[in-house]
Amino acid sequence: MMTLSEFLIPSSEYAARRGPEDVIVLSSRARLARNLCDSSFPAWAKKPERLQILKRISDAVVSLAPMKSCLLESMDNLSNNDKLALMERHLISREHTARGVGSGLAINKEENISVMINEEDHLRMQAILPGFQIRKVWERIDHLDSELEKKIPYAFHPEYGYLTACPTNLGTGIRVSAMLHLPGLALTDQISQIVGAVSKLGLAVRGIYGEGTDALGNLFQASNQMTLGETEEDIVIRLEKVIRQVVKNEENARQTLLEEKDQITLLNHIGRAWGILSNCYTIETRETLNLLSFIRLGIDLGMFPKGKRSDLEELFLITQRGHLQLAAKENMDAPQRDRARAEILRKKILKLKAPQKVKLKPLES
Amino acid sequence: MMTLSEFLIPSSEYAARRGPEDVIVLSSRARLARNLCDSSFPAWAKKPERLQILKRISDAVVSLAPMKSCLLESMDNLSNNDKLALMERHLISREHTARGVGSGLAINKEENISVMINEEDHLRMQAILPGFQIRKVWERIDHLDSELEKKIPYAFHPEYGYLTACPTNLGTGIRVSAMLHLPGLALTDQISQIVGAVSKLGLAVRGIYGEGTDALGNLFQASNQMTLGETEEDIVIRLEKVIRQVVKNEENARQTLLEEKDQITLLNHIGRAWGILSNCYTIETRETLNLLSFIRLGIDLGMFPKGKRSDLEELFLITQRGHLQLAAKENMDAPQRDRARAEILRKKILKLKAPQKVKLKPLES
């Protein structure tokens, strides 16, 4: 049998994937929550029923065209590092890493469609693509959903829509989101203002790691809040519109920082990040995320002539716990991981050479 | 007339001065507090009396052999930057920088004897030398005091000894101290233990900048606490003994850090300090002191083959506010200073090249 490490796209290749407007919108995701009409929700179902549900859904999922040669695994067959690596690639939720017997997962070969079975709902299916592709991920998951609905009976109420274990997902069961890199807004202290404005539009902007404005790595997830009383089409259109606005704000913030006398704020942050990462001998995830954010920004702005975005994305991936331990083929304690992480970062970041001031280009409007 | 900038030893020369055991004991100081028997203490004396006292003491001081070709200034003739620079060279107290008309100062050419007139007491005289020279600074200031006593009538009480404005200085009026650089004890979390042990011996160890264990730059002052009921000789002997012990503890801590697997803790601190200092574009004094402490340690341990201790000491001096502004020949606001400081540090620290692991040498016992 194929192991997960053998199945997964190598990190360098995974990190090299590009998408439209992926400088600020790192990735787009759509997920649907669905349940069988004739079975208990996972939290209520006993083990034999959960196993039966898993079998039924698995059979249906693997028979679909988009899931050809997919990886299908029962969660108890995965090691902790496997689960962590899947979470780090945003293919499964943190909750699903805690599941064992009776829960499962299917991932297609391209690693852009994943189906969690017996997570909170019987079915959580997700499409993820690099860059700004909200509509495309929605269409993909909508198609998968329609195909699947032909094979298994969904719990659907004519008035409430799709039924879910938690009422916050009731109705369309859809969550569409984008991962945004917003260092410009963070450096110009505009994050809380943006978060506030967006939430008034019924959308949410949250730190992906950490809470609120303390978001690690200046990474934010913009997503729809409600699943009831609105069509999927409306949700997609509104999210696209809001993200486009946030991207514009981030671009303006970056331009402002570039235009600032001698680019001192930028150079100071990016230079220090480069200096620390290329000279540290032990470093935690938290600090890594925050410093790599500035390196990513430096690469975006052309301050590192030798810097490729894909190198950065790879570092971002392989310095996380699961990937680190899968690569080392052993579990490490926290200090060991912090040293291994520093080792990787020091060598790779040093190659970028220190950041340089850049000439100003007028912003395209 | 000669300006202070013309009088002062150039910073590079000043920083190149060496003394015995100056790796850990950066400098030694002795100061005496004395008052005239026939005049009010400075805080009680009105301006005409203060001016009269200043004249009387000045005349006596400049006539002494060790003060030949000294600089003699009334405090109101010095600019704020002059005063700051003098404080940064530990030649006058922070309190004395606030004095104007009626207060004065005399400094000998070698900048190792300074006399403050009408500070808290009529006379505060100090000898300072690089390295571990407690006895020598005491002898120097004792000699100056004896010579001066022949010329001006001191306030002396047969039972209490020399009278001072504040009772904490009553008796001998002496404070002997050494400036210690203790990064090893700080990194191995032994500072509070040392501070506690030393204070039980009637001596004090305090952060030179900042308070307690939050001492900036890992710089500490060890000094006698009491001036009453003990001879100067006893005080000097005890302080020498205690400092010798602290130095031994610091040496052991450094050896422990060197022996630790791969010297990771050391390399991590020193490498990061080097990385930040050689890549920052704005930096505050606080952070500068803390990072330069690690560079100094790295030079001490041989981790910077190109690093000279005098370069470090010069950086330490010229990045402080007064020296920075005297060199720039203008006042700067805080952000301007932070940028000017970063400019100097970046270029000079880069020349050291990144720190390297060192081979272990057994500690001489």
Side-chain angles (χ1 to χ4, degrees):
Chain A
M1 214 186 81
M2 194 180 244
T3 66
L4 185 80
S5 300
E6 288 161 353
F7 176 82
L8 285 181
I9 299 170
S11 296
S12 59
E13 224 172 279
Y14 183 91
R17 303 182 312 175
R18 297 269 68 87
E21 299 175 63
D22 65 357
V23 167
I24 293 168
V25 186
L26 302 188
S27 64
S28 302
R29 268 198 282 180
R31 73 109 169 106
L32 291 174
R34 296 289 183 260
N35 288 279
L36 301 177
C37 65
D38 53 12
S39 308
S40 316
F41 286 133
W44 282 265
K46 295 225 162 57
K47 191 169 147 188
E49 189 179 2
R50 288 209 314 275
L51 283 169
Q52 198 196 349
I53 298 166
L54 175 59
K55 173 87 175 65
R56 241 173 110 191
I57 298 182
S58 298
D59 289 349
V61 167
V62 297
S63 72
L64 302 176
M67 298 307 280
K68 207 187 146 207
S69 349
C70 76
L71 177 89
L72 177 72
E73 277 291 3
S74 171
M75 291 312 280
D76 53 317
N77 276 338
L78 294 172
S79 70
N80 278 333
N81 289 337
D82 287 341
K83 292 175 177 176
L84 281 172
L86 289 168
M87 187 179 80
E88 287 157 9
R89 292 189 178 206
H90 303 289
L91 294 170
I92 66 172
S93 60
R94 177 173 297 279
E95 293 67 35
H96 211 51
T97 63
R99 310 275 156 162
V101 181
S103 291
L105 128 105
I107 308 170
N108 72 340
K109 262 188 90 170
E110 295 75 24
E111 279 177 53
N112 51 32
I113 295 179
S114 63
V115 180
M116 291 185 281
I117 305 161
N118 284 333
E119 201 240 27
E120 187 181 279
D121 295 297
H122 294 143
L123 260 166
R124 288 279 177 104
M125 42 195 154
Q126 167 193 282
I128 181 168
L129 286 172
F132 193 2
Q133 309 200 57
I134 295 287
R135 177 161 300 273
K136 201 156 180 187
V137 289
W138 156 240
E139 285 167 358
R140 283 213 184 169
I141 210 62
D142 184 42
H143 172 73
L144 194 82
D145 181 49
S146 307
E147 293 301 305
L148 209 51
E149 198 159 16
K150 294 175 190 162
K151 314 215 168 195
I152 45 179
Y154 282 165
F156 183 82
H157 185 280
E159 192 176 343
Y160 300 136
Y162 292 101
L163 302 179
T164 51
C166 175
T168 54
N169 296 309
L170 197 64
T172 53
I174 194 180
R175 179 133 298 141
V176 208
S177 64
M179 178 149 90
L180 308 173
H181 184 226
L182 306 176
L185 292 173
L187 285 177
T188 53
D189 285 327
Q190 296 180 77
I191 286 291
S192 35
Q193 189 189 324
I194 297 285
V195 170
V198 169
S199 75
K200 278 183 197 149
L201 299 168
L203 299 172
V205 173
R206 291 190 199 87
I208 291 195
Y209 312 94
E211 288 290 315
T213 50
D214 282 337
L216 299 184
N218 300 313
L219 291 171
F220 294 85
Q221 186 187 56
S223 66
N224 63 311
Q225 283 279 59
M226 288 180 304
T227 51
L228 199 59
E230 220 179 0
T231 67
E232 291 91 340
E233 179 65 20
D234 290 344
I235 291 172
V236 166
I237 289 175
R238 198 145 46 89
L239 190 62
E240 277 187 332
K241 205 171 140 187
V242 167
I243 290 172
R244 213 163 284 289
Q245 187 55 51
V246 174
V247 167
K248 196 148 226 112
N249 291 338
E250 170 66 19
E251 284 170 345
N252 287 337
R254 292 182 182 196
Q255 189 68 11
T256 304
L257 290 165
L258 280 173
E259 282 167 3
E260 191 204 48
K261 192 175 176 302
D262 293 341
Q263 302 174 358
I264 287 292
T265 304
L266 274 178
L267 275 171
N268 192 48
H269 281 284
I270 297 171
R272 282 164 174 259
W274 183 83
I276 295 172
L277 288 171
S278 56
N279 288 285
C280 65
Y281 285 80
T282 167
I283 188 165
E284 294 180 7
T285 306
R286 233 188 133 74
E287 191 184 7
T288 304
L289 289 171
N290 287 334
L291 297 179
L292 283 182
S293 166
F294 289 121
I295 303 294
R296 188 187 257 141
L297 177 62
I299 290 175
D300 292 347
L301 298 176
M303 287 181 157
F304 294 105
K306 297 195 173 186
K308 290 204 306 291
R309 210 16 215 281
S310 55
D311 295 336
L312 190 278
E313 300 307 336
E314 186 186 359
L315 275 180
F316 191 77
L317 202 61
I318 64 178
T319 55
Q320 291 187 72
R321 183 173 171 179
H323 279 80
L324 209 54
Q325 295 187 146
L326 276 185
K329 294 195 169 72
E330 60 174 0
N331 285 327
M332 297 182 260
D333 58 20
Q336 285 173 322
R337 285 198 302 274
D338 294 346
R339 290 172 57 158
R341 185 178 295 118
E343 193 78 14
I344 295 171
L345 287 164
R346 219 168 55 241
K347 291 174 181 165
K348 298 247 185 181
I349 294 290
L350 192 60
K351 289 192 186 144
L352 295 180
K353 305 284 179 201
Q356 302 166 9
K357 219 167 118 170
V358 286
K359 286 218 183 92
L360 277 179
K361 280 171 287 187
L363 194 66
E364 293 162 39
S365 60
Chain B
M1 215 188 81
M2 194 180 246
T3 66
L4 185 80
S5 299
E6 288 162 352
F7 177 81
L8 285 182
I9 300 170
S11 295
S12 59
E13 224 173 278
Y14 184 91
R17 304 181 311 175
R18 297 268 69 86
E21 300 176 62
D22 65 358
V23 168
I24 293 168
V25 186
L26 302 188
S27 64
S28 303
R29 268 199 281 180
R31 73 108 170 106
L32 291 173
R34 296 287 184 262
N35 287 279
L36 301 176
C37 64
D38 52 13
S39 308
S40 314
F41 286 132
W44 282 266
K46 294 227 161 57
K47 192 169 145 186
E49 189 180 4
R50 288 209 314 276
L51 283 168
Q52 196 195 351
I53 297 166
L54 175 59
K55 173 87 175 66
R56 242 173 109 191
I57 297 182
S58 296
D59 289 348
V61 167
V62 297
S63 72
L64 302 176
M67 299 305 281
K68 209 186 146 210
S69 349
C70 75
L71 177 88
L72 178 71
E73 277 292 4
S74 171
M75 290 314 280
D76 54 316
N77 277 338
L78 294 172
S79 70
N80 278 333
N81 288 337
D82 287 342
K83 290 175 178 176
L84 281 172
L86 289 167
M87 188 179 79
E88 288 157 8
R89 292 189 179 206
H90 303 290
L91 294 171
I92 67 171
S93 61
R94 177 172 296 278
E95 292 69 34
H96 210 50
T97 63
R99 310 277 157 160
V101 181
S103 290
L105 127 104
I107 307 169
N108 71 341
K109 262 187 89 169
E110 294 76 25
E111 279 177 55
N112 52 31
I113 295 178
S114 64
V115 180
M116 291 185 281
I117 304 162
N118 284 336
E119 200 240 29
E120 185 181 279
D121 295 296
H122 293 142
L123 259 166
R124 286 279 178 104
M125 43 193 154
Q126 167 194 281
I128 181 169
L129 286 172
F132 193 3
Q133 309 201 58
I134 296 287
R135 177 160 300 274
K136 202 156 179 185
V137 288
W138 155 241
E139 284 167 358
R140 283 215 183 165
I141 210 63
D142 184 44
H143 172 72
L144 193 83
D145 180 51
S146 306
E147 292 302 304
L148 209 51
E149 198 159 16
K150 292 175 191 162
K151 313 215 167 192
I152 45 179
Y154 283 165
F156 183 83
H157 185 280
E159 193 177 342
Y160 300 135
Y162 292 102
L163 302 180
T164 52
C166 176
T168 54
N169 296 309
L170 196 66
T172 54
I174 193 180
R175 179 134 296 143
V176 208
S177 65
M179 178 150 90
L180 308 173
H181 184 227
L182 307 177
L185 292 173
L187 285 178
T188 53
D189 285 326
Q190 295 179 78
I191 287 292
S192 35
Q193 188 189 325
I194 297 285
V195 169
V198 169
S199 75
K200 278 183 194 147
L201 300 167
L203 299 172
V205 174
R206 290 189 200 88
I208 291 193
Y209 311 94
E211 287 291 314
T213 50
D214 282 335
L216 299 184
N218 300 314
L219 291 172
F220 295 85
Q221 186 187 55
S223 66
N224 64 309
Q225 284 279 58
M226 289 180 302
T227 52
L228 198 61
E230 222 178 359
T231 68
E232 291 90 339
E233 178 65 19
D234 289 344
I235 291 172
V236 166
I237 288 174
R238 199 146 44 90
L239 190 63
E240 278 188 331
K241 206 171 139 186
V242 166
I243 290 172
R244 212 164 284 289
Q245 186 57 49
V246 174
V247 166
K248 195 149 228 111
N249 291 338
E250 170 66 20
E251 284 170 345
N252 287 336
R254 293 182 180 196
Q255 187 70 12
T256 303
L257 289 166
L258 280 173
E259 283 168 3
E260 192 205 47
K261 192 175 174 304
D262 294 340
Q263 303 174 358
I264 286 293
T265 304
L266 274 178
L267 275 171
N268 191 48
H269 281 284
I270 297 170
R272 282 164 173 258
W274 182 82
I276 295 171
L277 288 171
S278 57
N279 288 284
C280 65
Y281 286 79
T282 167
I283 188 165
E284 295 181 5
T285 307
R286 235 189 131 73
E287 191 184 7
T288 304
L289 289 171
N290 287 334
L291 296 178
L292 283 182
S293 167
F294 289 121
I295 304 294
R296 187 188 256 140
L297 177 63
I299 291 175
D300 292 348
L301 298 175
M303 286 181 159
F304 295 105
K306 298 196 172 186
K308 290 204 306 289
R309 208 18 214 278
S310 55
D311 295 335
L312 190 280
E313 301 306 336
E314 186 185 358
L315 275 180
F316 191 78
L317 202 61
I318 65 178
T319 56
Q320 292 187 72
R321 182 173 172 179
H323 279 80
L324 210 52
Q325 296 187 144
L326 276 185
K329 293 194 171 72
E330 60 174 1
N331 284 328
M332 297 182 260
D333 59 20
Q336 286 174 321
R337 286 198 302 274
D338 294 346
R339 290 173 56 158
R341 186 178 294 118
E343 194 76 16
I344 295 171
L345 286 165
R346 221 169 53 241
K347 290 173 182 166
K348 298 247 185 182
I349 293 291
L350 192 62
K351 288 194 184 141
L352 295 180
K353 307 282 179 202
Q356 303 165 9
K357 218 166 119 172
V358 285
K359 286 220 181 91
L360 277 178
K361 280 172 285 187
L363 194 67
E364 293 162 37
S365 60

